[in-house]
Amino acid sequence: MSSIIQLLPDHVANQIAAGEVVQRPASVVKELLENAVDANATDIKLIIKDAGKSLVQVIDNGKGMNVTDARLCFARHATSKIRHAEDLFSLHTKGFRGEALASIAAIAHVEMKTKQDQEELGTQIVIEGSKFVSQESAVLPKGTSFAVKNLFFNIPARRNFLKSDTVEYRHIIDEFQRVALAHPNIHFTFYHNGSEMFNLPTSTLRQRVVNVFSGKTNEKLVPVQEETEIVSIQGFVSKPEFAKKNRGEQFFFVNDRFIKSGYLHHAVMAAYDGILKEGAQPSYFLYLTVPANSIDINIHPTKTEIKFDDESALYAILRASIKHSLGQFNVAPVLDFDRDANLDTPYHYKDLEGVTPTIQVDSTFNPFADDKVNKHYAGSGSGSGSSSSGSSSGYRKPAATASWESLYVGLKQESEFPTESAEISFESEEVTASLFNDEEVEHAVQNVYQIHKKYIVSPIKSGMVIVDQQRAHQRVLYEQFLANMTVHQASSQQLLFPLNLYFSSGEMELIAELKLSLINTGFVFEDTNDDHVVISGIPVNVTESEVSMLLEQLLSDLQDGIPENSFSQNDTIAKSMAKSLAVKTGTSLTIKEQENLVNGLFACKDPNVSPFHKPTFITMRVEDIDKKFAI
Ligand code: ADP
Ligand code: MG
């Protein structure tokens, strides 16, 4: 029998290898940027088109290649960076595998121009799908330019697998930021579809962090510095009050290489122990320098994980130095979490009955609370409804004092209540009526009882209903937001002082995509800049202090990409906002709040489940209860 094993031709082997190195346009960005850094460039330009799907180009002023190397660099395992296996343990370069260019050239159209300083002419090479198309001498500036076009042109399945431009662009920004943050001594510029997205001049580390993120970042940072025998640490961590909901701004660099390490992350979180709210994420930009032979970078093909010789010592040093910095800069003592927690929830108001006049003022911001206010509000337009609303101090705290009302904004009038749809009819007619009458303060019968700050129990004709307060409120808010967005009828409350909110450029991209849907919920954007938005109006049932949290939660809910069609976009936003704003388990509700929540729930189109498909209430029939007593 003849033998059946064959050596794969180079271009096939390269295509297979490319699968590991190049997953998406961002992988090309990473490899090309790292090569430029390794070539000692001081100026690096990144130019992309269509989120890198049509073009990724990196132009550097580094050392360039001579004509032989220019051709050889596309061969597999061709590298100038290591020669012996031992070199792996004293790496000072980003690359060392010699695989990147061979892989990229196997699956794209590549045009390379390169010239060394001392040479008169440079070399220009075109290579497509591993085949050399042309090679010429040319007059070129010093340095190297790689233009990678039509990625995956010969692997349609991979090309189809790419995500939307927004998602791919975000991955590119991530890679760009990682390299840019690691090298403040290099001038980076970044263009997307002809617009300049970043221009980062040579600067100090702190300035680089600020330039990459936003001007506002500066005030958030606390420096960290530590020198020991096994590691030197420098960088910045954020003050706890600026903690975010997501982990977007957390960076470790080891010997100028971006790495991910759950273990070191844990060390940072341990340093913040007790001074961060649950789920809050500090930003950090930490640069560790360790002896090259004490780490092994070789354990992960994309090289974002590394292995340290003495991890537990690193852990302890890192934790201690961050703790020290937070203490030294007096960060911990100024915090007052009790106060913050109360501000976060609009339901924590003790003396509701005592502030009737304030309720009247606030109801201006609740266009659906009763007919009169509704007309008044609509008449003054969505942008300027505050002018006739009474004292400005009342205006500044709308949802603060109108806490229970916010449960109810946007719900239908009494007559439209589809109680039968939920197959629940309330026992007491008089109470049902009183729910819609704001002036009625006294209640003859208490019909709702909150238990364990979690459930609301209410008698109904057939027995009783037990409502999960958090899920119920999520449902109420979700339907309300969705309705507002689909009929484009959301009302806004205008802010006296517009809010400036700063975001990273990746986040700004997302916000730009979502802008229309956000406007439909009641947001008014006065301006959108490179790194911040100016918000002059917010949805009626949102308080000013909740806005930043709300948007951050939304951005973090969209980590996996923005849904393609506008319906699911609206749905995602409505869900996220409902999740953020809903009253949480553990919050005491007044009787009025409880009543409104229960009634609000049963006015919903789909009261049975939360937007996240969890049951919102259960019922117990009298017969069921009877059975429990029958022995
Ligand atoms: P590696 O970076 O792992 O060595 P690559 O395939 O990325 O492998 O690059 C192969 C070689 O091409 C590098 O070792 C380097 O000598 C050369 N090279 C790549 N990019 C550049 C550049 N921008 N400037 C100068 N030389 C480069
Ligand atoms: Mg490389």
Side-chain angles (χ1 to χ4, degrees), residues 35 39 60 64-65 73 78-81 95-98 100-101 144 146:
N35 279 348
D60 70 55
M65 285 176 268
C73 73
T79 179
S80 56
K81 299 170 192 175
F96 58 87
R97 292 164 190 262
L101 293 181
T144 306
F146 275 96

Side-chain angles (χ1 to χ4, degrees), residues 558-622:
L558 289 162
Q559 288 294 324
D560 295 329
I562 295 191
E564 298 292 339
N565 63 49
S566 72
F567 172 77
S568 14
Q569 245 184 50
N570 288 347
D571 188 65
T572 308
I573 293 178
K575 273 189 186 139
S576 174
M577 288 180 44
K579 183 169 73 186
S580 296
L581 295 172
V583 58
K584 306 287 183 291
T585 295
T587 311
S588 304
L589 301 178
T590 65
I591 293 169
K592 190 104 184 163
E593 289 167 356
Q594 296 168 37
E595 284 174 354
N596 282 297
L597 180 51
V598 172
N599 287 291
L601 176 67
F602 293 112
C604 284
K605 283 207 183 97
D606 191 3
N608 300 304
V609 287
S610 79
F612 307 96
H613 311 294
K614 302 263 176 57
T616 47
F617 68 91
I618 52 167
T619 51
M620 232 184 209
R621 291 177 308 148
V622 179

Side-chain angles (χ1 to χ4, degrees), residues 325-598:
S325 291
L326 291 173
Q328 198 181 23
F329 287 86
N330 240 350
V331 173
V334 299
L335 291 170
D336 181 356
F337 284 118
D338 283 340
R339 204 188 111 257
D340 278 1
N342 289 347
L343 281 178
D344 276 349
T345 160
Y347 296 95
H348 198 93
Y349 297 98
K350 296 145 202 136
D351 309 310
L352 198 60
E353 295 94 319
V355 290
T356 318
T358 327
I359 290 177
Q360 283 168 355
V361 172
D362 291 335
S363 58
T364 310
F365 302 99
N366 180 348
F368 304 102
D370 68 48
D371 250 343
K372 206 167 57 210
V373 174
N374 196 3
K375 276 186 207 120
H376 159 77
Y377 194 88
S380 53
S382 67
S384 57
S386 67
S387 53
S388 52
S389 67
S391 80
S392 62
S393 63
Y395 173 73
R396 296 302 295 167
K397 308 171 193 156
T401 44
S403 57
W404 63 266
E405 285 178 325
S406 68
L407 283 174
Y408 218 67
V409 174
L411 291 177
K412 294 190 183 77
Q413 293 301 305
E414 180 182 4
S415 56
E416 295 173 47
F417 244 62
T419 38
E420 66 286 353
S421 74
E423 288 166 30
I424 299 244
S425 59
F426 283 86
E427 196 176 33
S428 158
E429 295 300 328
E430 43 183 323
V431 172
T432 313
S434 75
L435 291 176
F436 301 96
N437 188 348
D438 290 349
E439 272 119 56
E440 181 150 347
V441 179
E442 293 296 315
H443 292 277
V445 192
Q446 181 176 342
N447 251 316
V448 286
Y449 303 86
Q450 188 185 29
I451 52 175
H452 291 279
K453 296 184 185 167
K454 187 172 184 188
Y455 299 113
I456 299 163
V457 181
S458 183
I460 50 173
K461 281 207 167 118
S462 61
M464 69 173 180
V465 58
I466 305 172
V467 173
D468 179 313
Q469 64 185 46
Q470 181 168 349
R471 292 180 188 174
H473 197 204
Q474 285 177 350
R475 163 56 60 184
V476 171
L477 291 172
Y478 167 73
E479 290 203 3
Q480 179 189 317
F481 281 124
L482 211 55
N484 287 345
M485 288 160 94
T486 23
V487 298
H488 302 274
Q489 264 182 6
S491 300
S492 297
Q493 43 175 327
Q494 200 185 14
L495 299 173
L496 279 184
F497 304 102
L499 278 176
N500 286 305
L501 295 179
Y502 287 78
F503 295 99
S504 70
S505 53
E507 291 170 334
M508 285 301 296
E509 280 280 314
L510 283 177
I511 289 177
E513 288 234 350
L514 295 172
K515 199 166 160 191
L516 205 62
S517 304
L518 287 171
I519 289 171
N520 288 337
T521 67
F523 279 100
V524 180
F525 291 89
E526 195 171 283
D527 205 359
T528 316
N529 294 291
D530 285 351
D531 65 345
H532 71 283
V533 288
V534 184
I535 294 175
S536 58
I538 57 179
V540 276
N541 45 355
V542 174
T543 61
E544 205 175 320
S545 61
E546 288 168 330
V547 174
S548 138
M549 175 273 292
L550 197 81
L551 291 178
E552 284 214 358
Q553 179 65 53
L554 180 60
L555 292 172
S556 99
D557 286 346
L558 289 162
Q559 288 294 324
D560 295 329
I562 295 191
E564 298 292 339
N565 63 49
S566 72
F567 172 77
S568 14
Q569 245 184 50
N570 288 347
D571 188 65
T572 308
I573 293 178
K575 273 189 186 139
S576 174
M577 288 180 44
K579 183 169 73 186
S580 296
L581 295 172
V583 58
K584 306 287 183 291
T585 295
T587 311
S588 304
L589 301 178
T590 65
I591 293 169
K592 190 104 184 163
E593 289 167 356
Q594 296 168 37
E595 284 174 354
N596 282 297
L597 180 51
V598 172

Side-chain angles (χ1 to χ4, degrees), residues 30-36 38 78-79 81 94-101 104 303:
K30 171 179 191 282
E31 296 297 339
L32 295 184
L33 287 177
E34 291 190 346
N35 279 348
D38 284 345
T79 179
K81 299 170 192 175
K94 308 273 169 187
F96 58 87
R97 292 164 190 262
E99 278 177 334
L101 293 181
I104 293 168
K303 296 170 281 180

